[in-house]
Amino acid sequence: MPDKGMIVEDAFAKINLALHVTGQRDDGYHLLDMLVTFARHGDRLEFSTADKDSFEMSGRFGAALGDAGADNLVIRARDRLRDAVLQAGADAPPVHIHLQKKLPIASGIGGGSADAAATLRGLSRLWNISLPASVLDEIALGLGADVPMCLHSTPLIARGIGELIEPVADMPQFAMVLANPLKGVSTPEVFRRLGTKTNPPLSTGRAAHWLDTIRLMRNDLEPPARALLPEIGEISAMLAEQGADLVRMSGSGATCFGLFQSFELAEAAAVMLHRQRPDWYFQATETIPGENMDGEEHGRS
Ligand code: C5P
């Protein structure tokens, strides 16, 4: 079979700018209101045609993943997409997938979900097939609640458990430092420790500046996660000391982020933070702006 060349897809880190827990479903899953954006920094996946299916991992966090987690999600994404492609009467030949794992695992920034979504995007390109968006969304949701939003990888509001998605076209680009103490918190344990499960939803009103809008929002999972892992408080204080305009935790933790006025300031902060704790994870990055906001960074004022 002729090699169609290698396809590369970035799996952008998912950042919960806010996460409000608004209720609980009968099956125990919590209802969430989330304001989400995506960092340009993320994992990288390569796809190429091969004689038989294979999967390889590398990168700073590749070894930590072992045989569990995102690799299974990548493989499950490959298999489910292939089923759908075959059902549509098209070809889905064997593929070699290389995952460069640059994001800390199980850390509240959707690494595994982003990898699964990138697999759906990458293999659709490699196999040269364009399934209807509704079919892809359904496959994505079957892989995990965060996978549909990662498929979009543009700013959005997600409701339900993450499946009801509304783009936020006027979200600016933010300069950001991602920070993680490289210790895990258990997502079910964080949810279990929630004080109240019926909190106010995301407000529909907007302040003049996005930063002020986001400041008025919360991550309801942050207090229980901080109680479980004091390093979350510690790393948040370090981000604030470096002059971040806003510091918050993403998802159920333990990754926190700081928003900065410019990428240069974010980079300088990441260098200082790395000097303070070389054993922790600090990464300067920029977020992907909404489609009406091409590359504009949020300003002070
Ligand atoms: O989605 P994920 O597999 O990370 O979820 C892990 C656990 O977190 C779930 O089994 C559930 O206990 C809890 N959870 C929840 N409500 C959500 C998402 C996760 O209660 N919306």
Side-chain angles (χ1 to χ4, degrees), residues 214-238:
I214 298 167
R215 273 197 192 101
L216 293 173
M217 299 172 169
R218 322 172 299 273
N219 182 348
D220 288 329
L221 299 180
E222 189 163 343
R226 278 180 182 235
L228 280 167
L229 188 68
E231 284 88 341
I232 293 171
E234 221 179 298
I235 212 165
S236 298
M238 287 166 68

Side-chain angles (χ1 to χ4, degrees), residues 19 21 23-25 27-32 34 113 143-146 160-162 186-192 194 197 221 252:
L19 188 160
V21 180
Q24 194 167 21
R25 299 198 314 199
D27 65 2
Y29 263 75
H30 293 79
L31 292 168
L32 311 172
M34 297 177 274
S113 304
L143 292 164
D146 283 351
I161 62 167
S186 151
T187 301
E189 188 59 25
V190 170
F191 275 105
R192 249 196 307 279
L194 261 176
K197 302 186 172 202
L221 299 180
S252 61

Side-chain angles (χ1 to χ4, degrees), residues 13-18 35-39 108-109 176 178 250 257 287:
K14 173 218 69 169
I15 312 296
N16 293 105
L17 293 170
L35 181 65
V36 177
T37 192
F38 291 85
I109 49 176
M176 174 180 281
L178 297 173
S250 181
F257 61 87
T287 64

Side-chain angles (χ1 to χ4, degrees), residues 13 41-43 60-62 64-65 101-112 178-183 254-255 280-283:
H41 183 75
D43 295 338
R60 180 173 174 190
F61 299 105
L65 204 52
K101 194 78 201 155
K102 299 198 272 186
L103 298 173
I105 60 167
S107 68
I109 49 176
L178 297 173
N180 187 293
L182 298 184
K183 283 189 186 160
T255 305
W280 286 1
Y281 168 90
F282 299 102
Q283 177 68 50

